[in-house]
Amino acid sequence: MAVLTYREALNRAMTEEMEKDPNIFLMGEEVGHYEGAYKVSQGMLAKFGERRVIDTPISENGFAGVGIGAAMVGLRPIIEFMTWNFSLVAIDQIINSAAKMNYMSAGQFPIPIVFRGAGGAGGRLAAQHSQSFESWYAHIPGLKVLAPYTPSDAYGLLKTSIRDNNPTIFIESEVLYGSKGEVPEGEFLIPMGKSDIKREGTQLTIISWSRALMYVLPAAEKLAKEGISVEVLDLRSIRPLDEEGILASVRKTNKALIVEEGWNVAGFGAQVAYLIQKEAFDYLDSPIERITQEDVPMPYAANLEKSSLPSEEKIIKKVREMIK
Amino acid sequence: MSQPKTKKETEDLLELYRQMLLIRRFEEASAKAYSMGKIGGFCHLYIGQEAVGVGAISALEQKDYIVSTYRDHGHALARGLEPKALMAELFGKKTGIVSGNGGSMHFFDKSKNFMGGHGIVGGHISLAAGIAYASKYRGDGAVTLCFFGEGAANIGSFHEGMNLAAIWKLPLVMICENNHYAMGTPEYRALSVKDVSVRAVAYDIARDHIEGDEVRKVREHVRVAVERARRGEGPTLMEISTYRFRGHSMSDPAKYRTKEELEKYKQGDPLIKAEKDLLAAGWAQEELTKMDEIILKTVEESVDFAEKSEEPPLGWLYKHVYAENV
């Protein structure tokens, strides 16, 4: 089994798919000559040429729209946002055009497009470059939302997204690009709507995704040493949501904690909590809890940034309270 | 433009006149049905602007694409979309062009490369650039025609779309139908220029500006831009000056303009102009009246069809939210 970085896994997924299907192209700021602001498209311009790896000017609304228009006539664009923070100027196109086109046209114009790029918090990038938008996009019918944590999941889910006939919001984590993990040899796909148990446990389920697992998994490890057995469920796929997977785990452990990097109010964790109380209320031994980013724009100061995010300490403290 | 001289030219004008008249009668019927509560939502009529849509679309080939706005009835009819299916869509019936999912602002017909009426002002301009981008990517020789109003010329998508179309030399013809009011705001209060097409200069692309009251003149000018696009010489930004005789939508009494102004523009009604030219070329008034009667009958049939059609089944509510993966 090969050990790849998260960025290499994404690169491999795109390269393999583009080799197979001439309708796929990659478009975005700095994806070509610069080989990606985060080097995700390294080597792709040399391999596929300027026709299929296309540098754009800084105009997210414009090139998101270009991708959607191209998808209307059967091409399969991969649109890279340098970061998801910049997607906000394209959000009209994503919501009003991409998500609704198939519905408004009664199935005449499916939009097979992937919007991908770096998301999430951290790195002292401050308020405008450090935020999570999974909840925003998950709100919209017509979109699919993925947020992988491991290189293997990144590879398998990106391939699935590229082959999907719907607009997919593929949120990579800025701080995970260099992280390494085993990626099986040969081609494989990971279906959407399937969560993954990253750690088995019996006393409490932590439901999380993407970079927040960086805090969750070590916390679970430490808790295990105290004799507290935590199950860690990585959603990977925010929409569609693996409702059965969540419920099965909570019915087993009888306690649920949701950890997310996004904000609390109207955050996606609230939807997960609603699902659990509705479908597994009788199995719960304690209230469902959430740990999220604090309800503030991201501060720059290192200590404030750290204190605003979920952390191992916060998770351990919360789990201890819930287990009592 | 001079009057038609030959029989061929006269017959050509007659066909364009027929299309304009169909739009006029279709929309008059829509207005009536709207007033009776049979049509819901917003309903933006095209009455007065017919020469633009008919003239421009008649310059296209079947393989070419059209991207429209929320004021899309005229463009759709000019492209040959079925009046019955369009009226049924306005009535929200399952027989509508998009099964009752879209209504007035969202006509789509893939079989005619009619790429939609779009409801966000100017948002569709970059989609049109994308369709043109795909033509260039594939080398299919098709041209994309994008209509928008002068109100859309101030939104980011317009500028981004123009810049991208310019740097990539896309086969795109952008037609600003300047009807002088963005909803209730007159152009002089919203536009930094008097003629939207001069903005082409800033993007180093071709431009044109004409009055949009003569249908054959519109076609002649649009054809130049279409041919330029087809030769690979890039996009054109055109302003075609026109006027809507009705309010912005059916809910707008248009009190922001004077009766005198409206009357002045009605003198330039593109249908009256075409009719005068046809009569001057020797066409009999009775023939035109007969044509009108046939069109009225077609429109009545479309209303009847819409009326009698069923509403979409409730089971269709979730249909098409997601496309199937096959």
Short mmCIF file of all heavy atoms in Angstrom, two decimals, chain A residues 69-98:
data_model
loop_
_atom_site.label_atom_id
_atom_site.label_comp_id
_atom_site.label_asym_id
_atom_site.label_seq_id
_atom_site.Cartn_x
_atom_site.Cartn_y
_atom_site.Cartn_z
N GLY A 69 -21.96 26.72 -17.16
CA GLY A 69 -22.40 26.78 -18.56
C GLY A 69 -21.82 25.63 -19.37
O GLY A 69 -22.52 24.97 -20.15
N ALA A 70 -20.55 25.35 -19.16
CA ALA A 70 -19.91 24.24 -19.89
C ALA A 70 -20.54 22.90 -19.50
O ALA A 70 -20.73 22.02 -20.33
CB ALA A 70 -18.40 24.23 -19.60
N ALA A 71 -20.89 22.78 -18.22
CA ALA A 71 -21.54 21.54 -17.76
C ALA A 71 -22.93 21.39 -18.37
O ALA A 71 -23.40 20.27 -18.61
CB ALA A 71 -21.62 21.53 -16.23
N MET A 72 -23.60 22.50 -18.64
CA MET A 72 -24.94 22.44 -19.26
C MET A 72 -24.89 21.74 -20.62
O MET A 72 -25.87 21.15 -21.04
CB MET A 72 -25.51 23.85 -19.46
CG MET A 72 -26.00 24.51 -18.19
SD MET A 72 -26.68 26.15 -18.53
CE MET A 72 -28.35 25.73 -19.08
N VAL A 73 -23.76 21.86 -21.29
CA VAL A 73 -23.65 21.23 -22.61
C VAL A 73 -22.75 20.00 -22.57
O VAL A 73 -22.17 19.61 -23.57
CB VAL A 73 -23.21 22.23 -23.69
CG1 VAL A 73 -24.37 23.15 -24.04
CG2 VAL A 73 -22.03 23.07 -23.25
N GLY A 74 -22.63 19.39 -21.39
CA GLY A 74 -22.06 18.04 -21.32
C GLY A 74 -20.60 17.92 -20.94
O GLY A 74 -20.09 16.80 -20.85
N LEU A 75 -19.89 19.04 -20.72
CA LEU A 75 -18.53 18.89 -20.22
C LEU A 75 -18.59 18.61 -18.71
O LEU A 75 -19.65 18.76 -18.09
CB LEU A 75 -17.70 20.13 -20.52
CG LEU A 75 -17.48 20.43 -22.02
CD1 LEU A 75 -16.54 21.62 -22.20
CD2 LEU A 75 -16.93 19.23 -22.77
N ARG A 76 -17.48 18.20 -18.14
CA ARG A 76 -17.46 17.83 -16.72
C ARG A 76 -16.33 18.59 -16.03
O ARG A 76 -15.25 18.05 -15.78
CB ARG A 76 -17.29 16.32 -16.57
CG ARG A 76 -18.36 15.52 -17.31
CD ARG A 76 -18.22 14.02 -17.10
NE ARG A 76 -18.67 13.60 -15.79
CZ ARG A 76 -19.94 13.31 -15.51
NH1 ARG A 76 -20.87 13.41 -16.42
NH2 ARG A 76 -20.27 12.93 -14.29
N PRO A 77 -16.59 19.85 -15.69
CA PRO A 77 -15.54 20.70 -15.14
C PRO A 77 -15.21 20.38 -13.68
O PRO A 77 -16.08 20.02 -12.90
CB PRO A 77 -16.13 22.11 -15.23
CG PRO A 77 -17.39 21.99 -16.03
CD PRO A 77 -17.86 20.58 -15.90
N ILE A 78 -13.93 20.54 -13.35
CA ILE A 78 -13.50 20.60 -11.96
C ILE A 78 -13.06 22.05 -11.76
O ILE A 78 -12.13 22.52 -12.41
CB ILE A 78 -12.31 19.67 -11.68
CG1 ILE A 78 -12.65 18.22 -12.06
CG2 ILE A 78 -11.89 19.76 -10.21
CD1 ILE A 78 -11.44 17.28 -12.04
N ILE A 79 -13.77 22.74 -10.89
CA ILE A 79 -13.47 24.15 -10.66
C ILE A 79 -12.78 24.27 -9.30
O ILE A 79 -13.35 23.90 -8.28
CB ILE A 79 -14.76 25.00 -10.66
CG1 ILE A 79 -15.50 24.87 -12.00
CG2 ILE A 79 -14.45 26.46 -10.32
CD1 ILE A 79 -14.81 25.45 -13.19
N GLU A 80 -11.56 24.72 -9.32
CA GLU A 80 -10.83 24.90 -8.05
C GLU A 80 -11.01 26.33 -7.53
O GLU A 80 -10.72 27.29 -8.24
CB GLU A 80 -9.34 24.60 -8.22
CG GLU A 80 -8.56 24.83 -6.92
CD GLU A 80 -7.08 24.46 -6.99
OE1 GLU A 80 -6.76 23.32 -7.38
OE2 GLU A 80 -6.24 25.31 -6.65
N PHE A 81 -11.49 26.43 -6.31
CA PHE A 81 -11.41 27.72 -5.61
C PHE A 81 -10.12 27.69 -4.80
O PHE A 81 -9.89 26.73 -4.05
CB PHE A 81 -12.61 27.91 -4.66
CG PHE A 81 -13.91 28.10 -5.37
CD1 PHE A 81 -14.99 27.27 -5.12
CD2 PHE A 81 -14.07 29.13 -6.30
CE1 PHE A 81 -16.20 27.44 -5.78
CE2 PHE A 81 -15.28 29.32 -6.95
CZ PHE A 81 -16.34 28.47 -6.70
N MET A 82 -9.33 28.72 -4.95
CA MET A 82 -8.04 28.71 -4.25
C MET A 82 -8.29 28.45 -2.77
O MET A 82 -7.59 27.65 -2.16
CB MET A 82 -7.32 30.04 -4.45
CG MET A 82 -5.88 29.98 -3.99
SD MET A 82 -5.06 31.57 -4.13
CE MET A 82 -4.88 31.73 -5.89
N THR A 83 -9.30 29.11 -2.23
CA THR A 83 -9.83 28.69 -0.94
C THR A 83 -11.34 28.89 -0.99
O THR A 83 -11.84 29.71 -1.75
CB THR A 83 -9.28 29.46 0.29
OG1 THR A 83 -10.15 30.55 0.58
CG2 THR A 83 -7.87 29.94 0.08
N TRP A 84 -12.04 28.16 -0.15
CA TRP A 84 -13.50 28.26 -0.13
C TRP A 84 -13.96 29.63 0.34
O TRP A 84 -15.09 30.03 0.10
CB TRP A 84 -14.11 27.14 0.72
CG TRP A 84 -14.24 25.92 -0.11
CD1 TRP A 84 -13.38 24.87 -0.18
CD2 TRP A 84 -15.27 25.65 -1.07
NE1 TRP A 84 -13.81 23.97 -1.13
CE2 TRP A 84 -14.96 24.41 -1.68
CE3 TRP A 84 -16.42 26.33 -1.49
CZ2 TRP A 84 -15.76 23.84 -2.68
CZ3 TRP A 84 -17.22 25.76 -2.48
CH2 TRP A 84 -16.89 24.55 -3.07
N ASN A 85 -13.04 30.36 1.00
CA ASN A 85 -13.40 31.72 1.41
C ASN A 85 -13.75 32.57 0.20
O ASN A 85 -14.60 33.43 0.26
CB ASN A 85 -12.23 32.35 2.15
CG ASN A 85 -11.87 31.54 3.38
OD1 ASN A 85 -12.59 31.55 4.35
ND2 ASN A 85 -10.77 30.80 3.31
N PHE A 86 -13.08 32.30 -0.93
CA PHE A 86 -13.33 33.09 -2.14
C PHE A 86 -14.59 32.61 -2.87
O PHE A 86 -15.03 33.24 -3.82
CB PHE A 86 -12.14 33.02 -3.10
CG PHE A 86 -10.82 33.45 -2.50
CD1 PHE A 86 -9.61 33.03 -3.06
CD2 PHE A 86 -10.77 34.28 -1.40
CE1 PHE A 86 -8.40 33.41 -2.52
CE2 PHE A 86 -9.56 34.67 -0.84
CZ PHE A 86 -8.37 34.23 -1.40
N SER A 87 -15.12 31.48 -2.44
CA SER A 87 -16.32 30.97 -3.12
C SER A 87 -17.52 31.87 -2.85
O SER A 87 -18.51 31.80 -3.55
CB SER A 87 -16.64 29.55 -2.67
OG SER A 87 -17.25 29.55 -1.38
N LEU A 88 -17.40 32.70 -1.83
CA LEU A 88 -18.57 33.52 -1.48
C LEU A 88 -18.94 34.49 -2.60
O LEU A 88 -20.10 34.83 -2.77
CB LEU A 88 -18.34 34.28 -0.18
CG LEU A 88 -18.13 33.43 1.08
CD1 LEU A 88 -18.27 34.30 2.32
CD2 LEU A 88 -19.07 32.25 1.14
N VAL A 89 -17.97 34.93 -3.38
CA VAL A 89 -18.33 35.81 -4.49
C VAL A 89 -18.90 35.02 -5.67
O VAL A 89 -19.41 35.58 -6.62
CB VAL A 89 -17.15 36.70 -4.96
CG1 VAL A 89 -16.80 37.73 -3.92
CG2 VAL A 89 -15.96 35.86 -5.36
N ALA A 90 -18.83 33.70 -5.57
CA ALA A 90 -19.41 32.85 -6.60
C ALA A 90 -20.66 32.14 -6.10
O ALA A 90 -21.25 31.32 -6.80
CB ALA A 90 -18.39 31.80 -7.06
N ILE A 91 -21.09 32.48 -4.90
CA ILE A 91 -22.14 31.67 -4.27
C ILE A 91 -23.46 31.81 -5.01
O ILE A 91 -24.26 30.87 -5.05
CB ILE A 91 -22.26 32.01 -2.76
CG1 ILE A 91 -22.89 30.82 -2.00
CG2 ILE A 91 -23.05 33.29 -2.52
CD1 ILE A 91 -22.74 30.91 -0.49
N ASP A 92 -23.68 32.93 -5.67
CA ASP A 92 -24.89 33.06 -6.48
C ASP A 92 -24.90 32.00 -7.58
O ASP A 92 -25.92 31.35 -7.82
CB ASP A 92 -24.98 34.46 -7.10
CG ASP A 92 -26.05 34.52 -8.18
OD1 ASP A 92 -27.20 34.17 -7.87
OD2 ASP A 92 -25.75 34.90 -9.33
N GLN A 93 -23.76 31.82 -8.22
CA GLN A 93 -23.70 30.82 -9.30
C GLN A 93 -23.87 29.41 -8.74
O GLN A 93 -24.54 28.57 -9.34
CB GLN A 93 -22.36 30.91 -10.04
CG GLN A 93 -22.19 32.17 -10.86
CD GLN A 93 -23.23 32.33 -11.96
OE1 GLN A 93 -24.07 31.46 -12.16
NE2 GLN A 93 -23.18 33.42 -12.67
N ILE A 94 -23.26 29.15 -7.58
CA ILE A 94 -23.32 27.80 -7.02
C ILE A 94 -24.76 27.47 -6.61
O ILE A 94 -25.27 26.39 -6.91
CB ILE A 94 -22.36 27.67 -5.82
CG1 ILE A 94 -20.91 27.88 -6.29
CG2 ILE A 94 -22.51 26.31 -5.15
CD1 ILE A 94 -19.93 28.04 -5.15
N ILE A 95 -25.41 28.41 -5.97
CA ILE A 95 -26.76 28.14 -5.46
C ILE A 95 -27.82 28.35 -6.54
O ILE A 95 -28.63 27.47 -6.81
CB ILE A 95 -27.06 29.03 -4.23
CG1 ILE A 95 -26.16 28.62 -3.08
CG2 ILE A 95 -28.53 28.91 -3.83
CD1 ILE A 95 -26.28 29.49 -1.85
N ASN A 96 -27.79 29.52 -7.16
CA ASN A 96 -28.88 29.85 -8.08
C ASN A 96 -28.75 29.20 -9.45
O ASN A 96 -29.76 29.04 -10.14
CB ASN A 96 -29.01 31.36 -8.24
CG ASN A 96 -29.84 31.96 -7.13
OD1 ASN A 96 -30.87 31.41 -6.76
ND2 ASN A 96 -29.41 33.08 -6.58
N SER A 97 -27.53 28.86 -9.84
CA SER A 97 -27.39 28.20 -11.14
C SER A 97 -27.10 26.69 -10.97
O SER A 97 -27.90 25.86 -11.38
CB SER A 97 -26.28 28.85 -11.96
OG SER A 97 -26.60 30.21 -12.23
N ALA A 98 -25.97 26.35 -10.35
CA ALA A 98 -25.56 24.94 -10.32
C ALA A 98 -26.59 24.06 -9.61
O ALA A 98 -27.02 23.03 -10.13
CB ALA A 98 -24.19 24.80 -9.66
#
